[in-house]
């Protein structure tokens, strides 16, 4: 295996689309494989070269092209870093409809190409709903202008969706047009304890109904997750001492009226307490406390890294089944590993993490393919938001039937007949070679 | 031109997908053209045969397959009538994320196939965001199972989006999985007058910011629209007498707390009045008055029908440009026609209607291609939500560049090589034959 070499585009806005196009045209004519690369923050090896692919790094295509304050529509280049867009919009009184831990490095073109989910999905929905337009450079260097800035446009097939989540294997996203919601100033965060998983589900249903329009996050973690964070991250304290509860829920509301929203959340919590859905809880009194609650939830991956080796799975499952997998995995592995479950309960997205002192093939064979088979049996997704990349390309059949995968391969063949774009990724090797 | 004949599927749930598959397999083998037909309520001739196509009517595939109350995910067959789904969900405490005038006849498969927009889009977004999965029968009879019931699933290309809005020209939607929001019980409606279009825009920006999380509709109509309704529909009264104002806005809010939501809307209206954005207004005091306000907005198409011949255009435009077109058209046609503008201002969607005593080719040549050229010049869409169907297929280039349309034609060729599915629709004749 040779290491990849890096061919970085070197100028700013106007020329760069043409440069990407020229590079692809050249590579296509010579059958040279290409890896499009944004912030390189993906978790499944989608943005790293496998053999000797040319890396097309998009970092210099980082211009904001336009922002329409009446409709909240932002148009920018694919290499813009997510956090920079968040800051830009903040100054305009708007927010990005997506937010994720890697925001300081990840790029919007990469976010679109991987259909990134993140923390605000429960409120604002997926990028398929929020991205209004794309400009994409195809494998042969042709530039496809689908850069609409309209909320509604039913003129022909909406081809941009093919590129959202295709992990750079169908084209390189050079420009993005996205709908951004106005910033609402009243944010409240509560950290709650539940004594069983059924109560977590009931609480979710109640929150959707009673907090409906202001609910902006509904995250969950189990006691093992909190325990990890308390043991491995400095300065984190248990918000609900003295003991550990079985489950924790972080609820965030975002609205336009501080006193009312707070009163509404307080009323909801009181009701949930009386109904026995939560056994303890704390409502953040200021922004520091709110941040400390979020730090627990967002700090879990870091704590896992510090704890040793970790096997990570990002699964979508029917909410009522979700935690069964964590418990079955615990039984299966007994004392040989620490099995941790957390995630975006509001979206049915479980992050199942198995932490061990060091990587061990014996443990891996106990985890896989069991975890995929279990997910498949319950009609779940083996990759809720991380994508397939290199690491999970061959597992696609656990979540998609053969005929559907064949159709994907036909699309790939049509758009990239020589197979130069991000080879060995997304599609199973049996179909992509 | 021969009239189409009707081949209706004759049994219920389980067998019918197989029937649709068999019919398509047969038709494909014999090169017989097929028109998929739902409620046949489209406005651009997408669901009617042009020559001697076989009609595949989906009405009997009308079963609800499952509903998950925890996550609000409904799975049903493509022939379910929208209003029946709305009623079903209402009993479960949920709502459909789309609502439109034709709900009593239109079918969910047709809604998906035309990417129907409607009245709730400003709140819940488009079907690309809300549809979680589809089962589709391809032209050759193969059934593609993309019927996920997960909010997040990044395993391979998300092919269902190809079929959302492809107007039955790529496949027949046999099953739909859709995310439905919980029903919120507090609904308030206000009918407001603005003295100029700039105030309408400012009011929209303010409403998004101040009513943010509860705003569920922001509709506008001009004085000519109200005048038409008052003159042609029985029992409709001017809510803001005695005179006509230049513009009217209907604002609807939907939330979970009646007294608070009302107080919030009242505060917003007071502020808007003080800032000079609205010149008069009425807040519905009960459900009857709310219905009477909606009756005005929803009654415009009916009033237009009663007024004589009508040339209808469904355009997306940048909000700040939108009304310029109505005024230019009025200048252009002077006294020969009544030019009416109304629509979903919150989505940048103008319904431009030109009413005359009878159809007249002289007037048509003054309207077209001017209306398309004007829309194209301002990077608008010549079909915001109605689709292209038969009537606008050749106008696609006003909204989409040649390379993008060619790519659409390649997709069509790949999925339906014999071109049997809904011929003469969506794609321009130069590319579809």
């Amino acid at each position: 295996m040779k290491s990849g070499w890096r061919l970085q585009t070197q100028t700013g806005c106007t020329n760069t689309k043409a440069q990407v196009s020229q590079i692809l045209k050249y590579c296509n004519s010579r059958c040279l494989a290409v890896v499009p690369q944004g912030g390189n923050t993906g978790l499944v090896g989608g943005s790293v070269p496998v053999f000797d692919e040319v890396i097309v790094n998009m970092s210099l295509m980082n211009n904001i092209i336009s922002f329409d304050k009446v409709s909240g529509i932002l148009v920018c280049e694919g290499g813009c870093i997510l956090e920079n867009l968040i800051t830009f919009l903040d100054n305009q009184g708007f927010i990005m409809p997506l937010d994720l831990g890697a925001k300081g490095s990840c790029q919007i073109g990469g976010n679109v190409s991987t259909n990134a989910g993140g923390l605000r999905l429960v409120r604002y929905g997926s990028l398929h709903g929020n991205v209004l337009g794309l400009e994409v450079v195809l494998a042969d260097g042709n530039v496809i202008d689908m850069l609409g800035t309209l909320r509604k446009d039913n003129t022909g097939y909406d081809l941009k969706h093919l590129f959202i989540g295709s992990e750079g294997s169908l084209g390189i996203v050079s420009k993005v047009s996205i709908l951004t919601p106005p910033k609402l100033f009243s944010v409240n965060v509560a950290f709650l304890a539940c004594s069983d998983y059924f109560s977590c589900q009931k609480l979710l249903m109640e929150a959707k109904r009673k907090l409906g329009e202001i609910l902006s996050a509904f995250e969950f973690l189990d006691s093992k997750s909190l325990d990890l964070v308390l043991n491995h991250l400095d300065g984190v304290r248990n918000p609900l001492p003295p003991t550990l509860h079985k489950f924790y829920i972080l609820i965030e509301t975002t609205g336009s009226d501080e006193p009312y929203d707070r009163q509404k959340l307080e009323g909801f919590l009181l009701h949930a307490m009386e109904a026995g859905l939560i056994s303890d809880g704390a409502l953040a009194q200021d922004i520091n406390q709110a941040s400390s609650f979020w730090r627990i939830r967002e700090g879990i991956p870091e704590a896992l890294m510090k704890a040793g080796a970790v096997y990570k799975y990002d699964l979508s499952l029917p909410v009522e089944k979700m935690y069964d997998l964590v418990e079955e995995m615990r039984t299966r592995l007994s004392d040989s590993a620490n099995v941790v479950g957390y995630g975006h309960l509001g979206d049915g997205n479980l992050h199942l993490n198995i932490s061990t002192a060091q990587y061990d093939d014996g443990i891996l064979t106990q985890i896989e393919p069991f975890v995929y088979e279990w997910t498949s049996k319950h009609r779940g997704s083996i990759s809720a938001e991380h994508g397939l990349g290199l690491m999970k390309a061959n597992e696609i059949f656990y979540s998609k039937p053969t005929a559907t995968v064949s159709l994907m391969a036909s699309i790939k063949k049509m758009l990239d007949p020589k197979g130069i774009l991000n080879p060995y990724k997304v599609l199973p090797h049996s179909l992509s070679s």
Side-chain angles (χ1 to χ4, degrees), chain A:
Chain A
M1 189 186 292
K2 288 191 279 176
S3 65
W5 56 282
R6 191 176 167 99
L7 179 68
Q8 186 159 344
T9 57
Q10 282 169 9
T11 62
C13 174
T14 15
N15 299 326
T16 316
K17 169 180 78 188
Q19 284 189 346
V20 175
S21 167
Q22 278 178 339
I23 293 166
L24 289 191
K25 200 168 280 176
Y26 179 83
C27 289
N28 195 51
S29 71
R30 304 275 172 128
C31 284
L32 296 172
V34 168
V35 177
Q37 193 175 78
N40 205 9
T41 60
L43 293 168
V44 288
S47 57
V48 291
V50 183
F51 296 109
D52 55 357
E53 300 96 306
V54 174
I55 296 176
V56 176
N57 185 287
M58 300 296 287
S59 308
L60 295 181
M61 287 193 67
N62 60 0
N63 290 285
I64 288 169
I65 297 163
S66 66
F67 181 65
D68 174 349
K69 282 191 84 153
V70 177
S71 47
I73 296 166
L74 172 76
V75 182
C76 66
E77 290 183 323
C80 289
I81 288 175
L82 179 59
E83 192 160 46
N84 294 348
L85 297 177
I86 291 172
T87 308
F88 170 83
L89 287 172
D90 191 60
N91 291 330
Q92 308 282 330
F94 287 78
I95 60 164
M96 282 296 276
L98 83 160
D99 189 8
L100 49 152
K103 63 187 159 200
S105 332
C106 67
Q107 298 172 9
I108 188 68
N111 297 148
V112 168
S113 297
T114 55
N115 188 29
L119 305 167
R120 287 188 186 142
L121 193 134
V122 72
R123 174 70 168 263
Y124 298 113
S126 91
L127 288 174
H128 284 286
N130 294 310
V131 170
L132 299 180
L134 293 180
E135 181 192 78
V136 171
V137 186
L138 297 184
D140 61 7
N142 277 327
V143 179
I144 300 294
D145 174 6
M146 303 166 289
L147 198 64
T149 52
L150 304 165
R151 195 142 179 202
K152 289 160 91 168
D153 176 21
N154 280 349
T155 52
Y157 312 149
D158 200 344
L159 298 181
K160 67 172 180 281
H161 294 284
L162 273 181
F163 301 92
I164 300 175
S166 65
E167 305 185 48
S169 67
L170 297 180
I172 298 184
V173 171
S174 49
K175 287 182 192 154
V176 176
S177 156
I178 188 164
L179 183 67
T180 71
K183 186 178 177 183
L184 300 175
F185 290 89
S186 147
V187 178
N188 284 293
V189 179
F191 197 87
L192 313 170
C194 293
S195 55
D196 55 64
Y197 185 66
F198 185 70
S199 299
C200 299
Q201 289 177 62
K202 286 247 351 177
L203 194 67
L204 172 62
M205 284 174 71
E206 287 290 303
K208 281 190 180 172
R209 200 163 297 278
K210 299 269 172 57
L211 300 172
E213 66 275 17
I214 58 170
L215 188 67
S216 55
F218 194 100
E219 298 287 309
F220 100 112
L221 47 145
D222 59 13
S223 60
K224 300 251 182 203
S225 306
L226 181 59
D227 194 45
L228 258 178
V229 170
L230 295 176
N231 283 327
H232 292 281
L233 299 190
D234 291 340
V236 177
R237 289 190 311 178
N238 181 356
L240 303 173
T243 57
L244 283 183
H245 298 262
K246 202 155 176 219
F247 294 98
Y248 296 93
I249 300 285
L250 185 154
I251 288 181
E252 186 193 75
T253 64
T254 306
S256 57
D257 188 316
E258 179 59 35
Y260 170 73
D261 290 351
R262 194 169 180 84
Q263 183 189 327
K264 191 167 189 179
L265 182 55
E266 280 168 353
F268 171 76
L269 296 179
L270 189 66
H271 161 85
M273 191 77 89
E274 283 169 0
L277 298 181
I278 53 179
S279 44
D280 199 0
L283 181 57
Q285 296 306 308
D286 55 35
I287 195 165
N288 292 332
Q289 205 178 3
S291 300
S292 74
F293 292 170
W294 268 115
R295 171 77 179 128
I296 294 169
R297 167 62 188 83
E298 294 191 287
I300 304 170
E302 189 186 335
L304 279 160
M305 295 276 283
K306 291 189 174 172
V310 55
Y311 300 91
K312 298 171 85 75
Y313 301 90
D314 164 43
L315 312 165
S316 267
L317 286 164
V319 174
E320 65 273 22
K321 299 279 178 210
M322 197 191 259
Y323 205 73
D324 292 352
L325 175 58
V326 180
E327 287 175 336
E328 284 195 39
M329 190 61 84
R330 240 168 233 158
T331 310
R332 203 174 160 83
L333 296 174
S334 65
D335 293 340
S336 62
N338 186 20
V339 180
V340 167
Y342 68 96
H344 315 290
L345 195 70
D347 314 323
N349 184 184
L350 171 72
H351 294 309
L352 170 71
N353 284 257
I354 294 150
S355 170
T356 56
Q358 56 211 10
Y359 289 105
D360 176 338
D361 283 349
I363 289 180
L364 185 59
T365 54
Q366 284 198 279
I367 303 173
E368 296 182 19
F370 170 79
V371 63
Y372 297 129
E373 286 166 357
W374 199 98
T375 304
S376 182
K377 195 172 78 187
H378 295 93
R379 285 189 72 91
S381 167
I382 60 145
S383 184
E385 55 181 11
H386 295 171
L388 296 171
L390 176 69
M391 290 157 60
K392 299 190 176 171
N394 284 326
E395 322 301 346
I396 192 170
F397 296 107
Y398 288 110
S399 286
K400 294 286 158 71
T402 311
T404 310
V405 179
S406 298
L407 193 52
M408 293 180 197
S410 305
I411 298 268
K412 168 76 177 173
K413 193 84 190 161
M414 191 189 93
L415 287 172
D416 179 17
K418 295 182 178 177
I420 67 158
L421 272 176
N422 226 3
Y424 329 110
K425 319 280 173 67
V426 193
L427 294 177
H429 299 172
S430 57
L431 284 174
S432 63
S433 51

